[in-house]
Each structure stands twice: as structure tokens, then as C-alpha cells.
Amino acid sequence: MSRLHGSSWQVLTLWGIVAALITVALAAAEGPRQEGRRSLTVEGRLGVMIYDDFVNNQSRTIYEVRQIALDKKSEGRAWALGDVEGLAEVEPGSMVRVTGHYDHTSDRLSGRIQILSPPDGSLESHNATTSYNMIVMLLNYSDVQLDPSCSNPVAINDKVFIATDSVAAYIHENSFHRVSLQGTVAGPFTLNLSQSSGCNENVIVNKANKAATNAGYNLSQYTHKYYVLPTTPGCSNQGNVCGPLAWARGACDHHVFAHEWGHNLGLRHAAVPENPSCNPYCDYGDFSSTMGNYIAIPPGSSSNLRHFNAPQKFELDWLPPAAIQTVTASGIYAVNLLEQDGEIQALVIPGANQVPYRDLVLSYRRQIGFDVNLPAQFEMTTSIHQYDMRPTTLCPIASTYLYGVVGDGQSYTDTNLGVTILQLSHSSVSATLQIQFGPCTDSDGDGVCNANDNCPTDANTNQLNSDSDGFGDACDNCPTVANANQADLDGDGFGNACDNCFDHWNPDQTDTDQDGQGDACEGLFEQCDPYCQDEGFGCTFSYFGPGD
């Protein structure tokens, strides 16, 4: 047995004391431990992670605090939050301090939150015109390979960045050419993780980033990172709301890539109100937007992408103020195609004193461009969404809700706001709507209130007015010739402007020789004495009226 010399013993004793002091200090910082639980204080940036299980129509939202990384190879650890006092009032992107307890079993940090500083723009902000650069990392587990739809980097590059139906092309059209997306596909890389390793995003992200860095990719030049993995039991697709990270697990299609990156841009889900008919997919129930759930690829299309809905385009500043008209009075209004930039693309009825506050947002859609994938119910109809359209700062906090869709002759009534929306007619570029606040007097029963009806005593729901003279075709005595005064000198039902014998009663408008002058007028001239016409004599003028 050897003996320690005095000096060596002294050195070891010193290191032992130092180690003991460090252990005590760490214990003091973390606080007293309980079974599976410890006190903890974390500082970092508040983020929102949305987990999407499209197969089972389920999603969940988790707030997290991501600590700031000290180097570009690491994203910094993300701490999922549980029950945190005051969390709902804190805007994502804020620098915060959370003090409380970390539960090992649930992997959640609960306690109270303190704002250190407001968002600084490091998350996605409302930039109407911008360019993004994304790296897509294809990742295998040590014991499970990627789905065949995800394993070919050339095919994924084509699907995300290059093809005419790519996610990049979709975003460019969807944003009215305000936003561009380019990037690189890296891998496949095999991680030193098995499928049974679970869903720990911190571990996956840091191992993937390290693999890409070792392969020569400079991750600092990318605004976004997209991690593509094999199917993992208990794990789902996910994306940071207003953040730089997204995950796809299992099959790779356009919808998954665009939906999760939509979360990165700042969007929540395209939902419908909770009701028995939509369960369990209410949170995804608005199929007019890619932020709803997956729909089958329609015949003749190679993708299943659809434009974001009107409130979502507003959130992204893709609908400028000039394209949005606020409606506060009853009347007839036109709304133009949401898919084409220009003029009025959304009508907004303010939410008044509703709690929670939500405006009504009206938009008109057609199956054109990427919206060729729209379900039939949205073709040439008006979509009615509820959303808070008041100006916000950096990151939205709510999903959009689809409350109704109306076609010609169909109406939607919001009893809270006391307003009824009726689609009167549509064309290839716009829809015409009646918006009525309060009671409606409708003498002809066509659904159009007398105050707005261009034929209040003749039913004409479509309000067709071919000559734009203020009188609908159903009651206009010259439906194709403008005559705002509706003058009819001979009382035959045809206005002077279109009557082929305006001063002689001829309700049949017969014109045998088709010279533009009615027979009733030409017959009078035949009664004239040809020898006296030049002198103004020899002609008998008679008024032929009803019963003559």
C-alpha cells in the first residue's frame, strides 16, 4: 500500500474542499431538491412551440424559454414552461426570467415570469418585403432511416426551393411577391441517437447542427433551420412561432414544410369554432388555408398548398392598409380576389365590445394559382373569419377562426354585432355584398333591404344593374341603356332612352323592317299626304294607347 506524501495530500485536500464548495454553491442556486423536482431560475427568450399531429388531427402549444447560445453550433437549451403566473400577458420574443420549480417527470418549469426586455426583432417581425435563407437538414437515427419521400436531397431541394410548385414559389405567390425563400438541403446525416431516444429537441438540434457544421456548412448564414427526421413514436411535426426552427417527422410533403414554416413566419392555426361536427380537428378546421390541416392532393395538382387566409395575410403585412376597408354602415360593398394584389381585398367589420375582441373579416376566393387546391365550398364565395385585426407588434397570439362561407343569395348573421352579410353576386374578380346593421325592411322578399335594394318592389337578389344607372335590371325600363331619370313619355313601359317609338305607345316594340324605328312610328308617316308634307300639312297624328 502506498502512502501519500504530505504535499500531495495537501493538494488533494485543497481540490476536495474546492469541489465541495462548488457543489454547495450549485445546490444553493438550484434550491432545495424534492422528489423529481428542484428550484430553478432561467433567463432567456420566450418562444412558442406548436406540435402538429396531422394524422390524428391534434395539436398542442407549449411556451418555452430558450437560453441564449454562446456559439453558433448550439441553439441554447429550451425549457418548456408549465403553470407560469402572468405568462399570457408576455409577448413572445421578450427576454424573460422564470423563477420556480422544474419537474423532471413532466419536463416543465413552473413559477412566475418577469420581463427583462421587450422583443428586439430577433424573431420574425412584420416585414412585408424580405428574403429568408433556410437550411434543411435530412437526419437518420442510428437504427431507423428516413422515409423514402425525405431521403433524396435533390428531390427535397426541388420540393422546397426550386420547382414551380415548391414551397418557395408558393410563398412568393402567396405574399404577392413580397417574400422570397431560398436555401440549401444538407445530408442525410446519421445521428448518434436511436429512435427510442425520444423527442428531446435540444439534443436533436445540437447533434444535427454539429453534423452539418462538420460537413462544412456555415449555419450562421441561415435565418432558419428545418430538421427532417424519421417517424418517432410520441413525436410530431413542430415549429417555433416567430422563431427560426422547424421539424418534420415521417413523410415529406409540401403541406408539412409550408405549415411548419408558416409557424416560423408568425402564424397560428386556421381554426373553426369548437362544435361537435369538427371534433377532433377544430383547431385545423379551416381548409381554406395551409395553416389548417392536410387535405388530399386535388386531381391535376402536384401539391396541396392553399393561400393563407385574409387575417393571416394581414398579420404578415401582405395585405397593406389600402387593401382593407373598414365597414361601419349598412350598404352595398365589393371585395376583390384575395389571391390577386390590388384594391380592396378584405372588408373588416369592427368587433365593438366583444370579449375576447374579434373583428369580422370578409374575403373572396377563387381556384386560381396555388388556390387551385381550394375545396369547392370556397370557390367564388365569401369567407367570413373572426380575428383581432387591431395593429399588433411582433408576434400574433391567436389562431384565425372561420365562421361561415356564403355564395350568391346566401347570408350570415352575427348576433353579437347585429350584422347580416349577404352575397348578392360575383364575377371572376370580385363579389358584391350587402352588409346590414340592425333591422331590415325588405318589401319584395329578396333578402336585400329596401335601403340598399335597386329594385325595392321587384325581387332581384343579385341586384344586377347592367347599365349602372342605379336601377336594377328587374325594374329598369331600359336595362341596357343608362337612364337614371327612367323617363317614359308614352307610358308603354319602355324608357325614352331605349324606346324605338318613344312618343307613341308601342309596348311590343315591333320593328318589321328592323331599321331601329318602331312600326308604330312608321305607320303614322304613311298616313301623310306626300304633296303636303313639305308644308307641314296633310298628316294626321294620333295617340295610340291601351285599348285604342
Side-chain angles (χ1 to χ4, degrees), residues 253-281:
D253 67 22
H254 296 81
H255 176 269
V256 172
F257 281 115
H259 183 105
E260 301 308 333
W261 199 60
H263 288 319
N264 286 171
L265 288 175
L267 299 179
R268 300 296 182 97
H269 284 145
V272 295
E274 291 285 341
N275 68 87
S277 66
C278 73
N279 284 325
Y281 59 84

Side-chain angles (χ1 to χ4, degrees), residues 462-475:
N462 63 14
Q463 297 288 285
L464 183 62
N465 181 14
S466 300
D467 55 14
S468 302
D469 62 359
F471 290 86
D473 290 0
C475 60

Side-chain angles (χ1 to χ4, degrees), residues 146-152 155-156 159 250-253:
L146 284 163
D147 184 274
S149 66
C150 304
S151 59
N152 186 333
I156 295 299
K159 183 175 291 187
C252 293
D253 67 22

